[in-house]
Amino acid sequence: MLTWFKTQTLSRDFAQTGGGTVASFQDILTFCIIIHLWLQQTGLGTDSKWDDGSVENMTLALGSRLVTCLLNVSEARQKDLVEKVAQAAITDLQGGRRKHTTILNIFSDYDYNRSVITVVANIELIRESVLAACERACELIDMNAHEGVHPAMGAVDLVPLYPLGEEVGLEECGKEAQSLAAALTERVQGTSAFLFGWADVPLHRGLAQRRKELGWFQKDPNIAAMLPDVGPQPTRRYGLTGVGASPYVMNCNVTMDTQDITIGRDVAAAIRGSSPGGIPGVQVLALPHEGTVEIACNVESVRERPPPALTAGMEPWPEFSVGDQTYRHAPASLITAQVRRMAGGRGVATTGTALVGFTPRECKALAERALSQGIGEFWKEAQSIRM
């Protein structure tokens, strides 16, 4: 069993964490408690397949009910404020550490004035954790004072739930998202929400469609005219929060060495999934960023196989399962290559690519590691991973 706790070698992960150390007794005890609770919940405590005590089965148990929330809040310029929001997610009502919950990463962008906090927990625990963070964000962030180049409508702008475990389906995440939206509007009077993905029943409209319907992409959206799905008419103080569920969405940003936003918009239009020859699943904006133009992509997971033109000579599209369905997403290398090609045709070079957070597989693997070792503030211990 001790080998389970040895530092694992993951792609691009833990490069500077000094791996190879066997965990403490407290780590082992925490892991055993997690397994015990999971077996109680699932009734598998007497299943013969557990008799061999294999590490593989224990790993499956830990990850089978995991869900992640990539919580988007409209603040990045006050680091202490963002960390207070993150700490709320892993702090219980008594002020102690919330069990079996971790923050894997905090990504903050000054120009965007937006932060993405990666929260992971069992689906039975995720709601209270995310709600606590949302309540803290609403307390600390006033949209009347918000400025940033990235579109935003809410102090808590986006609350997406993504299944990571094999035993969590999209319908279950959708119901959890509906409950989360209702609880937020009850706990923080004056907040309101719209639903997307599997929380938007029966239409299952995607996030981009809902945002377009509501005017999220407009420079100065008319909050007072918006009709929420949950809660009262939106106020400027809290704005409007998007809450939903879908297969994992990755964020990938490519920087172009130009200040010409028109060129950026042309490139964005060319790679957008809805465009002829575009990359399936890619939703994209061109935004001014630190004196350049950034092609900011939401990389949705899709069921269809990519066209041959986007796979020949390229990195394979990573795959993962949700229930009995297989999903795949465009690799960051493909997005980078397409932006480089499109920009180069306009005489502009690219200067870098940033992956905000993790791929689906990385997210699950890191969450299993953090939770098995009882690490709530994982982002502090792994800042070298990706920021």
Side-chain angles (χ1 to χ4, degrees):
M1 224 180 119
L2 288 177
T3 56
W4 163 251
F5 293 99
K6 290 182 180 178
T7 301
Q8 304 297 309
T9 302
L10 298 171
S11 174
R12 297 189 300 278
D13 300 330
F14 302 102
Q16 302 175 21
T17 56
T21 302
V22 177
S24 67
F25 174 77
Q26 183 178 2
D27 293 331
I28 298 173
L29 180 61
T30 299
F31 176 71
C32 291
I33 291 171
I34 294 171
I35 296 299
H36 175 69
L37 291 174
W38 188 86
L39 291 173
Q40 283 186 323
Q41 291 171 353
T42 60
L44 290 175
T46 58
D47 195 320
S48 61
K49 72 178 181 180
W50 295 92
D51 292 346
D52 64 359
S54 70
V55 171
E56 180 180 358
N57 282 339
M58 288 189 288
T59 304
L60 175 63
L62 184 64
S64 63
R65 299 285 291 166
L66 288 182
V67 173
T68 186
C69 174
L70 270 60
L71 180 65
N72 287 233
V73 298
S74 297
E75 178 57 60
R77 298 172 184 177
Q78 301 179 67
K79 181 180 178 181
D80 290 349
L81 188 156
V82 176
E83 289 207 359
K84 287 178 181 177
V85 174
Q87 288 288 353
I90 54 175
T91 303
D92 62 26
L93 295 177
Q94 289 72 43
R97 176 67 67 233
R98 191 184 298 274
K99 299 294 179 65
H100 317 315
T101 304
T102 187
I103 304 293
L104 290 185
N105 193 47
I106 301 175
F107 179 92
S108 295
D109 188 287
Y110 185 93
D111 280 10
Y112 289 177
N113 203 10
R114 186 181 188 86
S115 295
V116 182
I117 302 169
T118 304
V119 187
V120 184
N122 186 288
I123 191 168
E124 286 79 15
L125 304 176
I126 194 76
R127 187 196 316 172
E128 285 303 316
S129 174
V130 172
L131 275 172
C134 289
E135 289 182 79
R136 192 73 166 127
C138 289
E139 175 189 336
L140 298 172
I141 302 170
D142 185 347
M143 288 302 288
N144 286 302
H146 180 266
E147 293 180 352
V149 298
H150 196 289
M153 288 198 307
V156 178
D157 197 58
L158 185 65
V159 186
L161 298 183
Y162 306 137
L164 294 178
E166 297 84 354
E167 296 184 10
V168 181
L170 289 165
E171 292 78 9
E172 189 174 6
C173 282
K175 291 177 181 177
E176 197 64 29
Q178 291 174 340
S179 298
L180 198 157
L184 175 62
T185 60
E186 291 169 2
R187 293 190 189 184
V188 183
Q189 294 299 306
T191 58
S192 51
F194 71 89
L195 303 175
F196 65 90
W198 269 254
D200 176 40
V201 178
L203 299 178
H204 292 178
R205 289 169 291 181
L207 177 60
Q209 180 180 347
R210 295 302 336 265
R211 282 173 162 174
K212 186 178 294 186
E213 292 169 352
L214 292 162
W216 184 86
F217 295 101
Q218 298 174 10
K219 185 175 180 61
D220 188 20
N222 185 1
I223 293 290
M226 294 176 182
L227 298 176
D229 296 318
V230 185
Q233 194 68 28
T235 65
R236 184 63 189 169
R237 169 71 173 82
Y238 299 119
L240 183 64
T241 299
V243 184
S246 75
Y248 197 98
V249 177
M250 192 173 68
N251 301 107
C252 177
N253 301 335
V254 183
T255 302
M256 296 170 45
D257 190 15
T258 181
Q259 295 184 13
D260 191 337
I261 195 66
T262 300
I263 294 177
R265 288 171 179 157
D266 288 345
V267 171
I271 69 168
R272 188 171 289 128
S274 58
S275 299
I279 305 174
V282 171
Q283 308 288 339
V284 57
L285 291 172
L287 299 169
H289 187 260
E290 298 179 351
T292 64
V293 171
E294 190 161 79
I295 305 301
C297 303
N298 278 359
V299 186
E300 298 179 345
S301 300
V302 298
R303 290 180 58 187
E304 64 267 23
R305 293 192 175 277
L310 294 177
T311 58
M314 298 297 296
E315 175 187 351
W317 286 43
E319 297 184 349
F320 64 98
S321 297
V322 178
D324 59 353
Q325 300 293 335
T326 298
Y327 288 87
R328 52 191 58 86
H329 63 85
S333 59
L334 171 63
I335 296 169
T336 302
Q338 291 294 86
V339 172
R340 184 187 300 120
R341 182 172 67 85
M342 298 291 178
R346 294 161 174 80
V348 174
T350 58
T351 59
T353 297
L355 191 61
V356 181
F358 313 101
T359 67
R361 286 183 176 178
E362 288 172 333
C363 188
K364 182 180 179 184
L366 292 174
E368 288 173 346
R369 174 176 178 150
L371 292 172
S372 71
Q373 298 185 29
I375 305 173
E377 298 176 320
F378 188 82
W379 86 91
K380 290 186 176 181
E381 302 196 15
Q383 288 185 7
S384 63
I385 290 178
R386 192 170 292 112
M387 289 295 288

mmCIF file of all heavy atoms in Angstrom, residues 245-282:
data_model
loop_
_atom_site.group_PDB
_atom_site.id
_atom_site.type_symbol
_atom_site.label_atom_id
_atom_site.label_comp_id
_atom_site.label_asym_id
_atom_site.label_seq_id
_atom_site.Cartn_x
_atom_site.Cartn_y
_atom_site.Cartn_z
ATOM 1 N N ALA A 245 -23.630 22.338 -16.371
ATOM 2 C CA ALA A 245 -22.853 21.103 -16.361
ATOM 3 C C ALA A 245 -22.638 20.647 -17.796
ATOM 4 O O ALA A 245 -23.520 20.791 -18.648
ATOM 5 C CB ALA A 245 -23.579 20.018 -15.570
ATOM 6 N N SER A 246 -21.461 20.103 -18.039
ATOM 7 C CA SER A 246 -21.132 19.610 -19.375
ATOM 8 C C SER A 246 -19.921 18.705 -19.266
ATOM 9 O O SER A 246 -19.279 18.629 -18.208
ATOM 10 C CB SER A 246 -20.816 20.790 -20.311
ATOM 11 O OG SER A 246 -19.536 21.335 -20.024
ATOM 12 N N PRO A 247 -19.561 18.000 -20.348
ATOM 13 C CA PRO A 247 -18.248 17.366 -20.354
ATOM 14 C C PRO A 247 -17.169 18.437 -20.187
ATOM 15 O O PRO A 247 -17.389 19.611 -20.494
ATOM 16 C CB PRO A 247 -18.182 16.705 -21.739
ATOM 17 C CG PRO A 247 -19.603 16.564 -22.164
ATOM 18 C CD PRO A 247 -20.329 17.727 -21.576
ATOM 19 N N TYR A 248 -16.009 18.031 -19.754
ATOM 20 C CA TYR A 248 -14.930 18.945 -19.389
ATOM 21 C C TYR A 248 -14.646 19.966 -20.491
ATOM 22 O O TYR A 248 -14.612 19.635 -21.681
ATOM 23 C CB TYR A 248 -13.676 18.142 -19.107
ATOM 24 C CG TYR A 248 -12.604 18.880 -18.334
ATOM 25 C CD1 TYR A 248 -12.480 18.718 -16.961
ATOM 26 C CD2 TYR A 248 -11.703 19.720 -18.982
ATOM 27 C CE1 TYR A 248 -11.484 19.374 -16.244
ATOM 28 C CE2 TYR A 248 -10.704 20.370 -18.281
ATOM 29 C CZ TYR A 248 -10.601 20.198 -16.910
ATOM 30 O OH TYR A 248 -9.625 20.848 -16.213
ATOM 31 N N VAL A 249 -14.446 21.219 -20.080
ATOM 32 C CA VAL A 249 -14.048 22.290 -20.995
ATOM 33 C C VAL A 249 -12.675 22.799 -20.562
ATOM 34 O O VAL A 249 -12.496 23.232 -19.426
ATOM 35 C CB VAL A 249 -15.064 23.442 -21.005
ATOM 36 C CG1 VAL A 249 -14.578 24.576 -21.910
ATOM 37 C CG2 VAL A 249 -16.437 22.949 -21.467
ATOM 38 N N MET A 250 -11.735 22.750 -21.477
ATOM 39 C CA MET A 250 -10.372 23.207 -21.227
ATOM 40 C C MET A 250 -10.231 24.633 -21.751
ATOM 41 O O MET A 250 -10.941 25.046 -22.664
ATOM 42 C CB MET A 250 -9.409 22.266 -21.950
ATOM 43 C CG MET A 250 -7.961 22.388 -21.589
ATOM 44 S SD MET A 250 -7.015 21.066 -22.399
ATOM 45 C CE MET A 250 -7.139 21.543 -24.123
ATOM 46 N N ASN A 251 -9.324 25.407 -21.166
ATOM 47 C CA ASN A 251 -9.066 26.776 -21.617
ATOM 48 C C ASN A 251 -7.647 26.875 -22.148
ATOM 49 O O ASN A 251 -6.696 26.512 -21.458
ATOM 50 C CB ASN A 251 -9.254 27.770 -20.469
ATOM 51 C CG ASN A 251 -10.651 27.709 -19.895
ATOM 52 O OD1 ASN A 251 -10.851 27.200 -18.805
ATOM 53 N ND2 ASN A 251 -11.625 28.212 -20.627
ATOM 54 N N CYS A 252 -7.511 27.361 -23.374
ATOM 55 C CA CYS A 252 -6.210 27.456 -24.031
ATOM 56 C C CYS A 252 -6.097 28.812 -24.706
ATOM 57 O O CYS A 252 -6.953 29.172 -25.529
ATOM 58 C CB CYS A 252 -6.064 26.325 -25.052
ATOM 59 S SG CYS A 252 -4.534 26.360 -25.993
ATOM 60 N N ASN A 253 -5.067 29.578 -24.360
ATOM 61 C CA ASN A 253 -4.889 30.928 -24.895
ATOM 62 C C ASN A 253 -3.574 31.016 -25.661
ATOM 63 O O ASN A 253 -2.526 30.643 -25.144
ATOM 64 C CB ASN A 253 -4.886 31.960 -23.766
ATOM 65 C CG ASN A 253 -6.180 31.936 -22.960
ATOM 66 O OD1 ASN A 253 -7.220 31.522 -23.465
ATOM 67 N ND2 ASN A 253 -6.119 32.373 -21.730
ATOM 68 N N VAL A 254 -3.636 31.536 -26.885
ATOM 69 C CA VAL A 254 -2.455 31.698 -27.731
ATOM 70 C C VAL A 254 -2.226 33.193 -27.959
ATOM 71 O O VAL A 254 -3.148 33.914 -28.346
ATOM 72 C CB VAL A 254 -2.617 30.971 -29.080
ATOM 73 C CG1 VAL A 254 -1.337 31.089 -29.911
ATOM 74 C CG2 VAL A 254 -2.979 29.506 -28.871
ATOM 75 N N THR A 255 -0.998 33.639 -27.722
ATOM 76 C CA THR A 255 -0.669 35.056 -27.842
ATOM 77 C C THR A 255 -0.090 35.360 -29.223
ATOM 78 O O THR A 255 0.826 34.675 -29.694
ATOM 79 C CB THR A 255 0.345 35.468 -26.763
ATOM 80 O OG1 THR A 255 -0.204 35.174 -25.483
ATOM 81 C CG2 THR A 255 0.646 36.965 -26.841
ATOM 82 N N MET A 256 -0.631 36.425 -29.858
ATOM 83 C CA MET A 256 -0.140 36.894 -31.156
ATOM 84 C C MET A 256 0.621 38.194 -30.962
ATOM 85 O O MET A 256 0.185 39.071 -30.216
ATOM 86 C CB MET A 256 -1.321 37.108 -32.121
ATOM 87 C CG MET A 256 -2.075 35.844 -32.458
ATOM 88 S SD MET A 256 -3.618 36.155 -33.367
ATOM 89 C CE MET A 256 -3.098 37.345 -34.585
ATOM 90 N N ASP A 257 1.732 38.323 -31.662
ATOM 91 C CA ASP A 257 2.601 39.486 -31.502
ATOM 92 C C ASP A 257 2.104 40.652 -32.362
ATOM 93 O O ASP A 257 2.731 41.045 -33.350
ATOM 94 C CB ASP A 257 4.038 39.119 -31.875
ATOM 95 C CG ASP A 257 5.024 40.218 -31.497
ATOM 96 O OD1 ASP A 257 4.646 41.116 -30.711
ATOM 97 O OD2 ASP A 257 6.172 40.184 -31.989
ATOM 98 N N THR A 258 0.975 41.166 -31.971
ATOM 99 C CA THR A 258 0.371 42.306 -32.657
ATOM 100 C C THR A 258 -0.574 43.011 -31.699
ATOM 101 O O THR A 258 -1.032 42.411 -30.717
ATOM 102 C CB THR A 258 -0.403 41.874 -33.916
ATOM 103 O OG1 THR A 258 -0.953 43.039 -34.569
ATOM 104 C CG2 THR A 258 -1.556 40.944 -33.560
ATOM 105 N N GLN A 259 -0.876 44.274 -31.983
ATOM 106 C CA GLN A 259 -1.899 44.995 -31.241
ATOM 107 C C GLN A 259 -3.141 45.210 -32.090
ATOM 108 O O GLN A 259 -4.089 45.863 -31.645
ATOM 109 C CB GLN A 259 -1.349 46.352 -30.763
ATOM 110 C CG GLN A 259 -0.219 46.223 -29.760
ATOM 111 C CD GLN A 259 0.238 47.561 -29.220
ATOM 112 O OE1 GLN A 259 -0.415 48.588 -29.391
ATOM 113 N NE2 GLN A 259 1.376 47.567 -28.533
ATOM 114 N N ASP A 260 -3.142 44.638 -33.285
ATOM 115 C CA ASP A 260 -4.252 44.817 -34.228
ATOM 116 C C ASP A 260 -5.351 43.805 -33.900
ATOM 117 O O ASP A 260 -5.266 42.623 -34.266
ATOM 118 C CB ASP A 260 -3.754 44.632 -35.657
ATOM 119 C CG ASP A 260 -4.779 45.052 -36.705
ATOM 120 O OD1 ASP A 260 -5.983 45.066 -36.374
ATOM 121 O OD2 ASP A 260 -4.377 45.347 -37.843
ATOM 122 N N ILE A 261 -6.384 44.256 -33.221
ATOM 123 C CA ILE A 261 -7.461 43.358 -32.802
ATOM 124 C C ILE A 261 -8.238 42.818 -33.998
ATOM 125 O O ILE A 261 -8.820 41.725 -33.938
ATOM 126 C CB ILE A 261 -8.412 44.072 -31.802
ATOM 127 C CG1 ILE A 261 -9.310 43.064 -31.082
ATOM 128 C CG2 ILE A 261 -9.220 45.134 -32.513
ATOM 129 C CD1 ILE A 261 -8.575 42.131 -30.169
ATOM 130 N N THR A 262 -8.214 43.541 -35.129
ATOM 131 C CA THR A 262 -8.918 43.072 -36.324
ATOM 132 C C THR A 262 -8.293 41.779 -36.846
ATOM 133 O O THR A 262 -8.995 40.838 -37.225
ATOM 134 C CB THR A 262 -8.884 44.145 -37.425
ATOM 135 O OG1 THR A 262 -9.516 45.335 -36.939
ATOM 136 C CG2 THR A 262 -9.638 43.661 -38.664
ATOM 137 N N ILE A 263 -6.952 41.725 -36.844
ATOM 138 C CA ILE A 263 -6.281 40.489 -37.253
ATOM 139 C C ILE A 263 -6.636 39.363 -36.288
ATOM 140 O O ILE A 263 -6.903 38.227 -36.692
ATOM 141 C CB ILE A 263 -4.750 40.701 -37.293
ATOM 142 C CG1 ILE A 263 -4.376 41.699 -38.384
ATOM 143 C CG2 ILE A 263 -4.033 39.363 -37.514
ATOM 144 C CD1 ILE A 263 -2.890 42.010 -38.449
ATOM 145 N N GLY A 264 -6.663 39.685 -34.998
ATOM 146 C CA GLY A 264 -7.033 38.689 -34.007
ATOM 147 C C GLY A 264 -8.429 38.139 -34.237
ATOM 148 O O GLY A 264 -8.660 36.925 -34.137
ATOM 149 N N ARG A 265 -9.355 39.008 -34.557
ATOM 150 C CA ARG A 265 -10.736 38.553 -34.801
ATOM 151 C C ARG A 265 -10.829 37.696 -36.045
ATOM 152 O O ARG A 265 -11.618 36.736 -36.099
ATOM 153 C CB ARG A 265 -11.657 39.770 -34.892
ATOM 154 C CG ARG A 265 -11.891 40.436 -33.540
ATOM 155 C CD ARG A 265 -12.622 41.753 -33.674
ATOM 156 N NE ARG A 265 -12.843 42.362 -32.357
ATOM 157 C CZ ARG A 265 -13.046 43.655 -32.154
ATOM 158 N NH1 ARG A 265 -13.062 44.495 -33.198
ATOM 159 N NH2 ARG A 265 -13.236 44.120 -30.931
ATOM 160 N N ASP A 266 -10.038 38.021 -37.069
ATOM 161 C CA ASP A 266 -10.032 37.192 -38.283
ATOM 162 C C ASP A 266 -9.522 35.785 -37.966
ATOM 163 O O ASP A 266 -10.079 34.778 -38.426
ATOM 164 C CB ASP A 266 -9.144 37.829 -39.353
ATOM 165 C CG ASP A 266 -9.760 39.084 -39.960
ATOM 166 O OD1 ASP A 266 -10.969 39.291 -39.773
ATOM 167 O OD2 ASP A 266 -9.007 39.841 -40.604
ATOM 168 N N VAL A 267 -8.457 35.704 -37.169
ATOM 169 C CA VAL A 267 -7.901 34.398 -36.795
ATOM 170 C C VAL A 267 -8.894 33.628 -35.930
ATOM 171 O O VAL A 267 -9.109 32.430 -36.127
ATOM 172 C CB VAL A 267 -6.560 34.575 -36.057
ATOM 173 C CG1 VAL A 267 -6.084 33.251 -35.470
ATOM 174 C CG2 VAL A 267 -5.509 35.163 -36.991
ATOM 175 N N ALA A 268 -9.514 34.327 -34.988
ATOM 176 C CA ALA A 268 -10.496 33.681 -34.119
ATOM 177 C C ALA A 268 -11.646 33.100 -34.924
ATOM 178 O O ALA A 268 -12.088 31.965 -34.689
ATOM 179 C CB ALA A 268 -11.019 34.681 -33.082
ATOM 180 N N ALA A 269 -12.131 33.870 -35.898
ATOM 181 C CA ALA A 269 -13.238 33.393 -36.727
ATOM 182 C C ALA A 269 -12.835 32.165 -37.530
ATOM 183 O O ALA A 269 -13.647 31.256 -37.743
ATOM 184 C CB ALA A 269 -13.702 34.510 -37.657
ATOM 185 N N ALA A 270 -11.580 32.105 -37.965
ATOM 186 C CA ALA A 270 -11.128 30.997 -38.804
ATOM 187 C C ALA A 270 -11.033 29.682 -38.039
ATOM 188 O O ALA A 270 -11.298 28.613 -38.599
ATOM 189 C CB ALA A 270 -9.769 31.343 -39.424
ATOM 190 N N ILE A 271 -10.657 29.726 -36.746
ATOM 191 C CA ILE A 271 -10.481 28.465 -36.005
ATOM 192 C C ILE A 271 -11.721 28.082 -35.205
ATOM 193 O O ILE A 271 -11.796 26.973 -34.672
ATOM 194 C CB ILE A 271 -9.265 28.536 -35.066
ATOM 195 C CG1 ILE A 271 -9.502 29.509 -33.904
ATOM 196 C CG2 ILE A 271 -8.002 28.898 -35.834
ATOM 197 C CD1 ILE A 271 -8.456 29.401 -32.806
ATOM 198 N N ARG A 272 -12.690 28.975 -35.108
ATOM 199 C CA ARG A 272 -13.908 28.702 -34.325
ATOM 200 C C ARG A 272 -14.600 27.452 -34.837
ATOM 201 O O ARG A 272 -14.713 27.215 -36.038
ATOM 202 C CB ARG A 272 -14.823 29.921 -34.388
ATOM 203 C CG ARG A 272 -16.028 29.861 -33.481
ATOM 204 C CD ARG A 272 -16.744 31.202 -33.459
ATOM 205 N NE ARG A 272 -15.963 32.207 -32.736
ATOM 206 C CZ ARG A 272 -15.651 33.408 -33.239
ATOM 207 N NH1 ARG A 272 -16.044 33.735 -34.471
ATOM 208 N NH2 ARG A 272 -14.956 34.262 -32.515
ATOM 209 N N GLY A 273 -15.093 26.643 -33.933
ATOM 210 C CA GLY A 273 -15.706 25.376 -34.301
ATOM 211 C C GLY A 273 -16.888 25.501 -35.233
ATOM 212 O O GLY A 273 -17.158 24.589 -36.026
ATOM 213 N N SER A 274 -17.609 26.610 -35.172
ATOM 214 C CA SER A 274 -18.791 26.800 -36.017
ATOM 215 C C SER A 274 -18.442 27.276 -37.428
ATOM 216 O O SER A 274 -19.321 27.367 -38.283
ATOM 217 C CB SER A 274 -19.732 27.817 -35.359
ATOM 218 O OG SER A 274 -19.071 29.057 -35.145
ATOM 219 N N SER A 275 -17.163 27.573 -37.673
ATOM 220 C CA SER A 275 -16.739 28.054 -38.991
ATOM 221 C C SER A 275 -16.336 26.878 -39.880
ATOM 222 O O SER A 275 -15.826 25.868 -39.387
ATOM 223 C CB SER A 275 -15.545 29.002 -38.861
ATOM 224 O OG SER A 275 -15.875 30.140 -38.088
ATOM 225 N N PRO A 276 -16.531 26.982 -41.191
ATOM 226 C CA PRO A 276 -16.041 25.930 -42.100
ATOM 227 C C PRO A 276 -14.533 25.745 -41.942
ATOM 228 O O PRO A 276 -13.775 26.716 -42.003
ATOM 229 C CB PRO A 276 -16.389 26.494 -43.489
ATOM 230 C CG PRO A 276 -17.511 27.468 -43.251
ATOM 231 C CD PRO A 276 -17.239 28.066 -41.902
ATOM 232 N N GLY A 277 -14.109 24.518 -41.705
ATOM 233 C CA GLY A 277 -12.701 24.245 -41.510
ATOM 234 C C GLY A 277 -12.196 24.566 -40.114
ATOM 235 O O GLY A 277 -10.990 24.421 -39.842
ATOM 236 N N GLY A 278 -13.081 24.985 -39.230
ATOM 237 C CA GLY A 278 -12.695 25.306 -37.856
ATOM 238 C C GLY A 278 -12.444 24.058 -37.030
ATOM 239 O O GLY A 278 -12.631 22.928 -37.492
ATOM 240 N N ILE A 279 -12.013 24.264 -35.788
ATOM 241 C CA ILE A 279 -11.682 23.142 -34.905
ATOM 242 C C ILE A 279 -12.915 22.770 -34.079
ATOM 243 O O ILE A 279 -13.413 23.604 -33.317
ATOM 244 C CB ILE A 279 -10.519 23.507 -33.968
ATOM 245 C CG1 ILE A 279 -9.306 23.979 -34.771
ATOM 246 C CG2 ILE A 279 -10.141 22.306 -33.096
ATOM 247 C CD1 ILE A 279 -8.171 24.502 -33.909
ATOM 248 N N PRO A 280 -13.427 21.551 -34.207
ATOM 249 C CA PRO A 280 -14.627 21.159 -33.455
ATOM 250 C C PRO A 280 -14.457 21.391 -31.958
ATOM 251 O O PRO A 280 -13.431 21.063 -31.364
ATOM 252 C CB PRO A 280 -14.760 19.664 -33.770
ATOM 253 C CG PRO A 280 -14.119 19.506 -35.108
ATOM 254 C CD PRO A 280 -12.958 20.471 -35.109
ATOM 255 N N GLY A 281 -15.493 21.993 -31.359
ATOM 256 C CA GLY A 281 -15.510 22.210 -29.918
ATOM 257 C C GLY A 281 -14.844 23.492 -29.457
ATOM 258 O O GLY A 281 -14.916 23.819 -28.264
ATOM 259 N N VAL A 282 -14.215 24.236 -30.358
ATOM 260 C CA VAL A 282 -13.480 25.430 -29.946
ATOM 261 C C VAL A 282 -14.370 26.667 -30.056
ATOM 262 O O VAL A 282 -14.871 26.996 -31.128
ATOM 263 C CB VAL A 282 -12.200 25.614 -30.779
ATOM 264 C CG1 VAL A 282 -11.556 26.970 -30.499
ATOM 265 C CG2 VAL A 282 -11.215 24.495 -30.469
#
